[in-house]
Amino acid sequence: MIKKADVVIVGGGVNGCGLAYNLSKRGVDVAVFEKNYLSSGATGSCGAGIRQQWSTHENAELAMKSVKIFEKLSNELGDDIELRQGGYLIAVHDKEELLQLEKNVEMQKSLGIPVKIISTKEIIEVVPILDIKGMNAIAATFCPTDGHANPFKTTFAYANAARKYGANIFTHTTVTDIKTKNKKVSEVITDKGIIKTDFVVNAAGISSEEICDMVGIKIPTKPVRKEIMATERLQPLFKAMVISFKDGIYFSQQHEGQIVGGIPIPEQKYGYKTAPTVSFLQHMSKTLTRYAPVLKHINMLRHWTGFYDVTPDARPILGETKDLKGFIHCHGFSGHGFMISPMVSKILCEYIVEGKTSDILESLSLTRFKDKKIEHEMAVVG
Ligand SMILES: Cc1cc2nc3c(=O)[nH]c(=O)nc-3n(C[C@H](O)[C@H](O)[C@H](O)COP(=O)(O)OP(=O)(O)OC[C@H]3O[C@@H](n4cnc5c(N)ncnc54)[C@H](O)[C@@H]3O)c2cc1C
């Protein structure tokens, strides 16, 4: 075990590894501690959708700028992250929803996001297997540069590139405590040894609350259970991710042919229970085949549980804590931490290396809950 690092990152998910890459590329001496294997947290159980269609300015801007980074990431890291940009199609079910989504589209367009409202006829042109009556749609919003990537390949590509720049990544190593001195972080205790440092980044996903407890910081985050499934492989049928905020469903066809998607299970919303439920399978298959009746004839092959770390306003908590120098928050992603990870890594790296702050970092700080400066993200599923 090494004795010292400029920055210690807790968590080897897409955010921990992405930040390790950005920092080590800038010559910072980084150590990452991951208690299991890389991407064993939410990253490895996620749908890995990348969408720029959000209701809050911060999320839309983070996602839009992340897409620009994702588009070059395979080349930059030297590994294919399997980015596919087939777009996101968001179903609109009634006039009230249309009004809200029209507002979102206007804001998204003002940022340069190529999104538009499409008719029911155009919905079928984008995803021919959809049944407009079954899904009960009056229109949709569509952004062709949205898409998805492979979450494992993205995380490992970041980690491999970080290692090439000298980052030390320790898997199967648990952070058990953090020591502070004169209101600054000073040491990280792991089950394999102690390491001195000036910065600790909490990128521990649903365990971020535990990491914050180690330094006496309270965060208002809840673990929300999610179930997700994959079908057998099919011939290419459609390219877009289909989602509905009202029904909570999302699904897309992966490059290899399987359909991957999820839907919330109201009776098991919170907690850490990993056992998948039959009720998810019933709810998912009923809703999926209502949207796309042709899928009645296919088999679901796998089904698993993952967890969102959800904040009260469904926006992440980022940046340094005012009362404790060197303690950096990088969590609370509320179900969309994969798609914004390139920008999150970039802005936290700039903060640590240059002390650079920004409006986004300010508005996503932990203090917003105390100061009651909260704007709720509305464009979430489940
Ligand atoms: C079913 C599902 C579908 C999703 N779909 C999408 C989607 O389509 N698009 C999207 O953008 N996001 C999606 N998400 C959310 C996304 O997966 C997460 O926001 C993102 O992966 C978070 O990455 P992370 O690196 O912050 O955390 P994680 O990937 O959770 O990584 C945290 C890591 O910290 C480690 N750790 C915890 N405690 C310690 C400790 N004490 N010591 C050492 N290591 C520790 C954990 O083992 C874990 O590997 C989905 C999530 C789920 C569950």
Side-chain angles (χ1 to χ4, degrees), residues 1-5 29-31 33 168 170 193-196:
M1 166 68 86
I2 55 170
K3 299 275 177 249
K4 198 175 173 315
D29 178 21
V30 183
F33 294 109
N168 286 292
F170 300 91
I194 298 173
I195 180 166
K196 290 196 184 305

Side-chain angles (χ1 to χ4, degrees), residues 122-137:
E122 289 168 306
I123 292 178
I124 300 300
E125 281 161 19
V126 177
V127 183
I129 63 167
L130 288 176
D131 179 65
I132 297 295
K133 251 194 181 164
M135 69 194 280
N136 194 20

Side-chain angles (χ1 to χ4, degrees), residues 95-291:
K95 285 204 175 131
E96 198 190 328
E97 194 174 24
L98 186 60
L99 280 177
Q100 174 64 44
L101 291 184
E102 276 171 350
K103 273 191 209 153
N104 295 358
V105 164
E106 205 171 301
M107 179 274 289
Q108 292 152 9
K109 275 183 165 169
S110 74
L111 291 171
I113 298 170
V115 57
K116 58 180 179 180
I117 306 227
I118 61 173
S119 65
T120 48
K121 191 169 159 264
E122 289 168 306
I123 292 178
I124 300 300
E125 281 161 19
V126 177
V127 183
I129 63 167
L130 288 176
D131 179 65
I132 297 295
K133 251 194 181 164
M135 69 194 280
N136 194 20
I138 58 163
T141 67
F142 183 64
C143 174
T145 54
D146 288 348
H148 62 85
N150 183 317
F152 295 98
K153 291 197 175 175
T154 306
T155 306
F156 279 84
Y158 269 138
N160 291 339
R163 282 192 179 107
K164 283 186 196 146
Y165 284 112
N168 286 292
I169 300 181
F170 300 91
T171 55
H172 303 284
T173 307
T174 304
V175 169
T176 55
D177 205 0
I178 298 166
K179 297 289 176 206
T180 63
K181 213 174 180 181
N182 302 328
K183 296 195 172 176
K184 285 185 188 165
V185 297
S186 59
E187 273 179 1
V188 173
I189 321 288
T190 77
D191 58 352
K192 305 263 172 71
I194 298 173
I195 180 166
K196 290 196 184 305
T197 190
D198 294 327
F199 285 97
V200 176
V201 179
N202 180 359
I206 53 160
S207 303
S208 292
E209 195 177 359
E210 245 173 66
I211 306 298
C212 282
D213 279 347
M214 293 175 188
V215 291
I217 293 172
K218 292 280 161 234
I219 53 169
T221 311
K222 276 189 187 152
V224 174
R225 287 183 79 256
K226 292 288 165 183
E227 297 188 34
I228 173 167
M229 63 94 219
T231 68
E232 61 187 312
R233 292 181 181 193
L234 309 168
Q235 285 184 355
L237 292 171
F238 62 105
K239 289 189 175 147
M241 172 85 82
V242 177
I243 71 172
S244 157
F245 299 132
K246 196 168 162 223
D247 290 323
I249 192 167
Y250 66 92
F251 61 95
S252 67
Q253 186 172 25
Q254 307 290 300
H255 180 58
E256 298 81 8
Q258 67 273 44
I259 290 173
V260 171
I263 200 161
I265 296 297
E267 65 269 28
Q268 282 197 15
K269 198 166 175 192
Y270 300 108
Y272 297 97
K273 201 173 159 207
T274 51
T277 61
V278 173
S279 113
F280 166 81
L281 289 178
Q282 288 167 337
H283 194 38
M284 182 69 198
S285 49
K286 268 188 196 155
T287 315
L288 182 63
T289 54
R290 178 159 66 74
Y291 274 62

Side-chain angles (χ1 to χ4, degrees), residues 10-17 33-50 88 173-176 203-208 210-211 214 224 226-228 241 250 304-309 330-331 333-340:
V10 191
V14 71
N15 283 294
C17 292
F33 294 109
E34 165 52 54
K35 68 179 175 184
N36 294 312
Y37 53 90
L38 298 182
S39 67
S40 56
T43 300
S45 41
C46 85
I50 298 167
Y88 254 69
T173 307
T174 304
V175 169
T176 55
I206 53 160
S207 303
S208 292
E210 245 173 66
I211 306 298
M214 293 175 188
V224 174
K226 292 288 165 183
E227 297 188 34
I228 173 167
M241 172 85 82
Y250 66 92
W304 63 97
T305 305
F307 302 91
Y308 286 5
D309 51 336
C330 177
H331 50 80
F333 289 105
S334 307
H336 42 275
F338 178 76
M339 65 185 83
I340 59 172

